[in-house]
Amino acid sequence: MLIKDFGGRTMNHNFGRKTWLGALIAAAVLIGCDSVGPPAFRMNMVAAVSTDPPTSPQYQQEIADVLGALFGTPDEPFALPETGLDVSKLRQSAGPAWSDEEGYNYGLYRKHCVHCHGITGDGRGPTAQFLNPYPRDYRPGVYKFKSTFNPAKPTHDDLHTVLINGIPGTAMPSFSLLPGSEVESLVEYVKYLSFRGQMETKLIAFVYDELGEEVAEDESGNEIRDEDGNLVINRPALDPTQNVDQRDMVLEMLAEVIEGWNEANDQIIAPEEESIPAEDRTPEEVLASVEKGRELFYGTRANCIKCHGPTGLGDGQQDDHDNWQKAHKKFLEDTALMAENIDRQAGEDDVDWDQLAEEQELLAAREGVTETLYSLRNAIPRNLRQGVYRGGRRRLDIFRRVYAGIAGSPMPATGPASPGAKGTLTEAEIWNIVDYVVTLPYEPSSQPQRVTPKYTEAIAR
Amino acid sequence: MNRKQTILLLMYIVPPVVAGCQRVEELGPVATATSVNSIRAAFASDAGGSGASTAAVATGTGWATIRGRFVFDGTPPEMQPYSANKDQATCTVGGKSPLQETLLVDSATQGVANVAIYIRKAPRVHESAEPNEDKVVFDQKVCVFLTHVFPLTIGQTISIKNSDNVGHNTNIDGKNGFNQTIPAGEAVDFKPQKEEAVPVGVVCSIHPWMRAYFLPRANGYYAVTGPDGSFEIANVPAGDELEFQVWHESAGGRGGPLVLSTAEAKQLKWNKKGRFKIKLAENEEKELDIAVPAAAFGG
């Protein structure tokens, strides 16, 4: 219609048509996207399509249904009692944003969080792709800034702290002006989105490992074909209503997820009293500790220099990625490889067209997903000269970063991996590094830290 | 409507209207209310299951051995050097980076190394395959992990060793998250707690070209092929159908289940997840010579 209208016609002749067209467009703009219905949780398609062979659309639907049964919808959250989640708090955070007559606020997640973290908590809200770093994807249940050992979940208080303090140096603001009950409600909701995301990954793995389409066989083990000569495919459904064992297994997976979160309180890193530097250290004592920290920073035991660079500017090893980006990178690379293989096979003499068509279909499914991914980013080690500490600027915060590393990032632990295990460094040594690191912002960034910082005395106070 | 108006219309109004509702992010299914309600009711009911449907049920007695070789069929690829761009004094030999190990084929025997083969669910476990507490060493030298595919049994402690004179950090993916600095010339212990269904990546963030794979399993029914492509798993349960998983780092060109469609693989009912089933007689010594066409590695 539009194209046909182009050319030849006079303005007068066209006027009525134009008005009509304008009305149509306005109507389309106004109505168009409202037809998508209430917000819905979306599937982790990278995970669903990454399995080899990928999760079929039928299984995807069944997984979505099981997740719906376990967790409800963004408007109507649900949690089984064994999750320990407080459904009334979830209800306060879920749904559209509104306030009642007494001034109580609801729909907190959509009011404060969704534009970055997305309705599913996948870190893909409308603003997400413009931010650096990207907002956290809650679905793997991995959080960087916490008080626990590297592989452990964060405690409730850890998430609470992040909401109160925000994350300096990132787009994550502080929500300290919200009433305490609202922050609590949001922490609960974030956990809920992680539970859901972790269950999703587990269900995808379960379907892949235990179910899946298989060629049907008769009793003597021969393939069965239908009248048209096509192989008959059996597809055991994921259906906890019909299969009690599946139901039990889903609940067991949920129990595993919850257990990880419940254990967090036993995994808090509490520094040994005797290693904590005294508050009344003399400048000489501080200087000696800074000196030891500097040696460790540059040495082959702590290896800080390798990534944070000889000047502490974060300009060492920059080729790596965090775990969220690694998953996407692998997905993108594999998809590119598949496309390459298909192109090459198509050019060969003896082409198995059936197989090629099958692969083409898989590739199309993957490419649909790759189109939605944001551009890849490297994990850039922190510039320690800025004095901006994402996980908090208290000495204890920095101690825990060095001790446990940063979960999901390339930053390794120097302390033990779990309670009772042996660390690479002693706690005293980690405090030495903390002493050194906090001096770094007090030197001009052009000056390599080969010498002891000048302002140690001032820092000691 | 003049030309300019039309172009403006086409440029600014039509695309959003046309594209507006097809938001690319909205992939994948959405839960259907009726299914959700019935599944939720099922979760709320008390009806207990047997709780053992996926655990293989043992009916057989005695033990058997399975061994064999994976033999490359075609022209093996040449391995390219790693791009060691850090710590080159340590990470290169005579200025040259070590060669990658993504697909190692023995020039004499055409054997394919580093194929992981293991029983998915064992109906019974012989005492020789039961979890033990032996310590195993996982070493790195010239910025290369010396064991490329490293299987172990839950209960074992890995001594992660660094035989280089530069620091490394060993970052293990999967359910047993681990990422700790390993000082030059020292070793750090790690005891994985959870089984993995397929090998998971091991990397070093300081030297990101370094790569290996870990496979913690609940029992000792696993093998990784040696340089000549051979493997042996002894004392496997006889008389029961055993399902084996076969995995290679470069399977399908991108890593994962090794899928074979050769005649012998068809006999074993080798499926698209790289699994095959076999039932062995008591004291049987099964030999499998498995030809792996270049196409199985996407080549």
Side-chain angles (χ1 to χ4, degrees), chain A residues 1 6 62 64 72 85 96 98-99 152 195 201 203 260 267 279 292 302 332-333 336 364 373 382 410 453:
Chain A
M1 272 305 273
F6 175 67
E62 288 167 358
L85 291 168
W98 65 285
S99 303
F195 284 21
T201 322
L203 285 166
Q267 300 263 334
E279 277 177 23
K292 276 188 197 156
L332 289 167
E333 286 173 352
L373 301 183
R382 188 64 45 248

Side-chain angles (χ1 to χ4, degrees), chain B residues 7-79:
Chain B
I7 290 175
L8 280 177
L9 180 80
L10 287 175
M11 276 177 61
Y12 292 107
I13 302 177
V14 176
V17 170
V18 174
C21 304
Q22 307 169 333
R23 276 181 286 173
V24 282
E25 285 94 281
E26 300 207 338
L27 290 171
V30 168
T32 44
T34 45
S35 307
V36 162
N37 290 334
S38 55
I39 299 171
R40 197 172 285 172
F43 285 139
S45 86
D46 290 332
S50 68
S53 73
T54 58
V57 182
T59 52
T61 53
W63 310 98
T65 294
I66 183 166
R67 64 171 73 90
R69 288 182 65 229
F70 286 86
V71 182
F72 194 82
D73 181 9
T75 316
E78 267 181 45
M79 288 293 103

Side-chain angles (χ1 to χ4, degrees), chain A residues 208 210 217 247 306 344 424, chain B residues 87 121 181 269 273 298:
Chain A
Y208 179 81
E210 309 297 342
E217 288 175 356
R247 188 203 71 163
K306 293 292 178 193
R344 204 192 46 244
T424 304
Chain B
D87 290 322
K121 286 173 197 135
T181 51
K269 302 218 168 63
K273 293 178 181 172

Side-chain angles (χ1 to χ4, degrees), chain B residues 75-146:
Chain B
T75 316
E78 267 181 45
M79 288 293 103
Q80 302 300 312
Y82 289 110
S83 53
N85 57 4
K86 295 279 185 307
D87 290 322
Q88 285 169 331
T90 302
C91 301
T92 60
V93 180
K96 283 186 183 159
S97 299
L99 297 182
Q100 296 183 21
E101 295 168 289
T102 51
L103 176 51
L104 294 184
V105 178
D106 184 38
S107 57
T109 61
Q110 292 281 97
V112 185
N114 295 329
V115 178
I117 173 167
Y118 45 97
I119 297 182
R120 292 191 63 231
K121 286 173 197 135
R124 293 176 287 128
V125 179
H126 189 268
E127 60 185 36
S128 63
E130 271 172 9
N132 60 68
E133 304 211 333
D134 295 351
K135 203 161 184 170
V136 282
V137 177
F138 181 69
D139 197 3
Q140 42 210 319
K141 177 87 184 158
V142 198
C143 306
V144 172
F145 293 113
L146 297 185

Side-chain angles (χ1 to χ4, degrees), chain B residues 208-226:
Chain B
W209 64 87
M210 293 175 67
R211 192 157 189 88
Y213 295 88
F214 258 36
L215 179 60
R217 296 294 296 170
N219 57 57
Y221 290 139
Y222 54 72
V224 172
T225 58

Side-chain angles (χ1 to χ4, degrees), chain B residues 177-232:
Chain B
F178 178 88
N179 183 9
Q180 195 169 328
T181 51
I182 316 292
E186 289 184 30
V188 170
D189 284 354
F190 171 49
K191 195 170 175 181
Q193 308 287 340
K194 290 174 187 160
E195 186 178 56
E196 301 279 0
V198 287
V200 293
V202 184
V203 294
C204 168
S205 311
I206 300 170
H207 312 103
W209 64 87
M210 293 175 67
R211 192 157 189 88
Y213 295 88
F214 258 36
L215 179 60
R217 296 294 296 170
N219 57 57
Y221 290 139
Y222 54 72
V224 172
T225 58
D228 63 349
S230 67
F231 69 91
E232 175 174 317

Side-chain angles (χ1 to χ4, degrees), chain A residues 123-144:
Chain A
R124 298 174 53 82
T127 53
Q129 62 179 316
F130 308 108
L131 303 179
N132 191 352
Y134 292 131
R136 179 62 48 243
D137 171 359
Y138 305 141
R139 294 172 304 177
V142 175
Y143 292 84
K144 286 182 169 178

